[in-house]
Amino acid sequence: MKNDKKGLNTICTHIGELEDKEYKGAVSPLYMSTSYQFEDVAVKRYPRYFNTPNQEALSKKLAALEHAEAAMIFGSGMAAISTALMTFLQAGDHVVLQQTIYGGTYHFAVSQFERFGIEYSFTTGWEVEDFEKEIKPNTKVLYLETPSNPLLTITDVKGVANLAKKKGILSMIDNTFASPVNQNPIDFGIDVVVHSATKYMGGHSDICAGVVAASEEHMKKVWQTGICFGGSLSDYTVWLLERSLKTMVLRVKAQNENAMKMAKYLSESKDVDNVYYPGLEKHPGYALAKSQMKGFGGMLSFELNPEIDASLFFKELKLIKPSMSLAGIESTVLSPTQTSHALMSAEDRAKQGIKDSLIRFSLGIEEVEDLIADIEQAIAKVKSMTVTA
């Protein structure tokens, strides 16, 4: 089925589905085999080659969602990110990475690039000129993330893509926080899009996966690296991810709405110092986000007043879960300094503006009034403890 002019929900539901020719079931059949015939077949299939029936079908859906020619599904977001970066970088090359990025990507760069002879620079900000200042004659990749993890900074996607094209450099973006529902970077000229599909694509906190999407030409190169690194995904998880993608648009739109309501509530609360959400008009990236995103996303971050102990706040929550990941249908909070950005030094976190008091908040699909009530009771309990102490 072609995806020409089809809506997002239709793509999520139907593109790339496998037909159950024997029993005519409504969902794609699951092919669990890890061994396939090699004689008299058009395709020699093997899980590590990313071409089992379920892998191949899901990749078509992912490509359609990101307006790409092709896509591949990996065993985790970091498997996708590291494979994509190592595909287009080699000894003697240089890569420019945005200052505010996922802690795992940051750690990969600082712990691995040097041993492969790859040079790297982090921008001092997230404006287009910050990328341009770091470009060297041997720069091969510009890597950005917007909205960024965990401070929700906004980068001009088209601006960075144009800069990369002008300089003959490949552009790559982590589109996890936005999801294909809210942002399609390829439409703005980005070459390669990566995702942690563990997040909004999976959406139920029960799948670990990653995605790379790009042109056929670029994906052939990613495939050559991918079969060597071996970061493929089991077909059962591939099947589960296809199931989850069918409801992604419905989930993400509900999370967008909840995040906007929560951001407004927190920004008006006397117990909160700062709120980071691109949907708030006071956010410095609001106008840019509005111009390149279809929705502002389900993620925000905030800082409680100094007298409210964040660690105690986590313990008093009854409905919202203090949890390691994000983007599930249940609302979760975490401390980036203890989890997603724990591998960064305190000094490097400070450079990015990540304070120990920062709380990353992933909105689920619950009624926002119930979430607000949970926050208020938790804050009240922490305050009473402080008074008692």
Side-chain angles (χ1 to χ4, degrees):
M1 177 186 292
K2 294 183 179 180
N3 60 306
D4 298 343
K5 298 182 180 180
K6 287 185 171 58
L8 268 179
N9 278 309
T10 302
I11 292 172
C12 285
T13 306
H14 293 292
I15 296 297
E17 64 182 344
L18 291 171
E19 182 184 356
D20 181 354
K21 295 180 180 179
E22 185 171 0
Y23 297 109
K24 307 301 179 184
V27 301
S28 294
L30 170 59
Y31 295 92
M32 291 291 287
S33 180
T34 58
S35 185
Y36 289 85
Q37 183 173 321
F38 68 91
E39 288 186 311
D40 303 319
V41 293
V43 179
K44 294 180 175 65
R45 300 187 185 277
Y46 188 61
R48 184 168 57 82
Y49 290 170
F50 301 88
N51 65 357
T52 63
N54 291 97
Q55 289 173 330
E56 200 172 70
L58 180 59
S59 293
K60 292 177 182 176
K61 190 188 298 288
L62 295 168
L65 285 169
E66 275 296 10
H67 304 173
E69 292 178 357
M72 285 169 59
I73 184 75
F74 290 81
S76 70
M78 279 310 303
I81 291 166
S82 59
T83 302
L85 283 168
M86 296 306 287
T87 295
F88 299 101
L89 293 169
Q90 60 184 3
D93 289 345
H94 173 257
V95 54
V96 178
L97 301 112
Q98 183 176 309
Q99 178 203 47
T100 49
I101 56 173
Y102 170 55
T105 308
Y106 173 92
H107 180 67
F108 172 68
V110 300
S111 67
Q112 300 298 316
F113 281 167
E114 188 175 342
R115 58 193 291 260
F116 288 101
I118 298 168
E119 300 175 35
Y120 62 91
S121 299
F122 288 100
T123 64
T124 54
W126 43 89
E127 305 293 336
V128 175
E129 51 266 33
D130 293 313
F131 285 86
E132 188 163 16
K133 283 188 293 187
E134 301 298 332
I135 292 176
K136 299 180 179 181
N138 59 332
T139 301
K140 293 295 188 291
V141 175
L142 300 184
Y143 185 95
L144 65 152
E145 180 180 317
T146 181
S148 71
N149 181 358
L151 289 170
L152 288 301
T153 60
I154 301 297
T155 301
D156 183 349
V157 177
K158 187 174 183 179
V160 174
N162 287 344
L163 172 64
K165 283 179 170 54
K166 175 184 171 184
K167 299 289 186 178
I169 299 169
L170 182 128
S171 56
M172 189 179 301
I173 188 172
D174 184 338
N175 200 37
T176 299
F177 263 30
S179 87
V181 179
N182 291 323
Q183 185 170 268
N184 296 113
I186 286 174
D187 291 350
F188 295 98
I190 293 292
D191 295 310
V192 180
V193 178
V194 296
H195 283 272
S196 170
T198 309
K199 312 307 190 294
Y200 287 106
M201 291 182 175
H204 294 78
S205 304
D206 57 5
I207 288 171
C208 186
V211 172
V212 180
S215 66
E216 291 277 6
E217 180 184 357
H218 287 323
M219 290 311 301
K220 285 178 182 176
K221 296 176 182 178
V222 173
W223 181 81
Q224 290 287 352
T225 307
I227 62 173
C228 295
F229 284 4
S232 59
L233 191 63
S234 77
D235 281 297
Y236 180 61
T237 309
V238 169
W239 185 85
L240 287 174
L241 183 54
E242 189 208 359
R243 169 219 61 181
S244 295
L245 280 165
K246 291 181 179 181
T247 62
M248 180 176 65
V249 179
L250 304 177
R251 290 185 280 103
V252 170
K253 286 186 176 180
Q255 288 163 312
N256 287 349
E257 185 178 340
N258 274 357
M260 179 64 80
K261 290 178 181 177
M262 183 59 71
K264 289 179 178 178
Y265 159 74
L266 291 172
S267 65
E268 295 168 1
S269 172
K270 64 183 186 301
D271 297 310
V272 175
D273 266 3
N274 296 298
V275 180
Y276 306 92
Y277 185 64
L280 294 175
E281 292 188 18
K282 65 180 181 180
H283 188 286
Y286 169 75
L288 181 56
K290 191 175 181 180
S291 71
Q292 64 189 24
M293 299 181 73
K294 304 177 186 74
F296 295 110
M299 296 297 304
L300 62 87
S301 292
F302 67 98
E303 295 158 1
L304 292 168
N305 290 346
E307 63 270 18
I308 301 173
D309 189 322
S311 61
L312 293 176
F313 170 75
F314 289 143
K315 292 176 182 177
E316 294 302 328
L317 291 168
K318 306 299 182 187
L319 186 64
I320 301 165
K321 301 177 186 296
S323 188
M324 285 282 287
S325 195
L326 61 98
I329 55 173
E330 66 286 333
S331 292
T332 60
V333 288
L334 60 69
S335 163
T337 61
Q338 296 182 55
T339 56
S340 61
H341 291 68
L343 293 174
M344 294 175 66
S345 68
E347 181 183 2
D348 287 331
R349 285 198 299 267
K351 286 180 183 177
Q352 288 197 17
I354 301 171
K355 300 177 183 178
D356 290 345
S357 60
L358 184 70
I359 297 172
R360 194 183 73 187
F361 196 171
S362 171
L363 274 296
I365 63 171
E366 307 96 334
E367 279 69 28
V368 75
E369 294 79 12
D370 295 329
L371 300 175
I372 290 173
D374 192 31
I375 290 171
E376 290 181 344
Q377 68 82 25
I379 289 176
K381 285 186 179 179
V382 175
K383 280 184 172 181
S384 68
M385 292 178 196
T386 305
V387 171
T388 303

